[in-house]
Amino acid sequence: MATTLKDQLKDKDRQIQELLAQLEHQTHKKSRQIETLAKMSQTIAQGIYIREILQLIVTMTAEMMGSKICSLMLLDEKGRDLKIEATQSISEEYKTKPPVPVRMSVSGRAILEKKPIIVPDVAKDPQYTYPDIARKENLRSLIVIPMMIKDKPIGVLNCYTAEVHVFTDEEIQLVQAVANQSAVAIEHTRALEKALAAEEALETRKVIERAKGILMRQQGFSEEASFRLIQRQAMDRRKTMKEVAEAVILSEELKQSK
């Protein structure tokens, strides 16, 4: 009786130690995830180029989730296909796989339903587009989170595991938080790129207008003829019209400085 009680106490002590170890691991993991999220937010806020931001998102998400592969896919302009824009995977076959149709893919379901989609085993799911790649890369469970801007999907964030995994509510919320951050970052960067492009276009237009004025005064050309001359010179010399216009302006300035 005494031996049995002693064994039971030892067993109970072992269970308590195992529970404490699990709690310590979970606490460390939670702390690491929060730290990664904070670092991601800070780095995204400082980013300028969208390609760098997307690569940062997938790399840090994979690290935070312990994912085999993490990929970010964006919708094309027509909203029909999803294409991989960034992944931390070293598999060339995975990185270069063709776009998947929204209406015929697992990732597309997240876009259409505007909610997370979980696939217990992609190798066995009939809707998964590339089961051969999944088997070759040892991809099993998948969570797909839509990236939304004011109820409008712009893409998805995919996280794969190397073993069959049941995603917890906490993990889903975590990836959703990353997807939300990603959507805002992408939208902000796109807006910034458009603004920079518009500014560049305005500057180009000003330079061309100035060059046209010089040609009209120097050569007696009409405004249309001046424009066509700059355009033809750009094509012949394989330069931009802005570069040709700047050369015309520089030539005029050198003449005036003599």
Side-chain angles (χ1 to χ4, degrees), residues 122-124 128 130-140:
V122 293
K124 297 178 180 179
Y128 190 73
Y130 298 102
D132 51 336
I133 296 179
R135 284 189 289 269
K136 184 176 180 180
E137 298 299 325
N138 193 32
L139 305 179
R140 301 302 298 271

Side-chain angles (χ1 to χ4, degrees), residues 22-128:
Q22 289 175 7
L23 288 173
E24 184 179 358
H25 174 72
Q26 290 173 0
T27 301
H28 177 71
K29 182 179 179 182
K30 182 74 173 178
S31 176
R32 184 163 54 86
Q33 289 174 339
I34 292 173
E35 183 181 338
T36 304
L37 267 179
K39 185 179 177 182
M40 186 184 296
S41 299
Q42 182 180 14
T43 313
I44 284 176
Q46 296 172 348
I48 297 177
Y49 301 106
I50 193 166
R51 189 66 54 190
E52 294 175 352
I53 289 176
L54 300 187
Q55 195 58 48
L56 167 76
I57 289 168
V58 295
T59 301
M60 298 189 77
T61 302
E63 178 186 344
M64 183 173 62
M65 294 293 293
S67 297
K68 166 83 174 181
I69 286 179
C70 180
S71 64
L72 190 151
M73 307 177 79
L74 295 180
L75 279 170
D76 63 5
E77 292 182 358
K78 296 181 179 179
R80 295 176 182 173
D81 296 315
L82 282 163
K83 180 185 177 183
I84 293 178
E85 295 293 343
T87 178
Q88 98 305 349
S89 172
I90 61 174
S91 166
E92 284 299 322
E93 192 171 0
Y94 181 84
K95 287 192 290 187
T96 58
K97 70 179 185 178
V100 295
V102 169
R103 297 194 174 277
M104 297 175 61
S105 62
V106 173
S107 295
R109 279 173 55 200
I111 292 289
L112 296 173
E113 298 178 21
K114 298 181 181 180
K115 68 178 184 181
I117 298 297
I118 294 175
V119 181
D121 191 341
V122 293
K124 297 178 180 179
D125 192 291
Q127 196 178 16
Y128 190 73

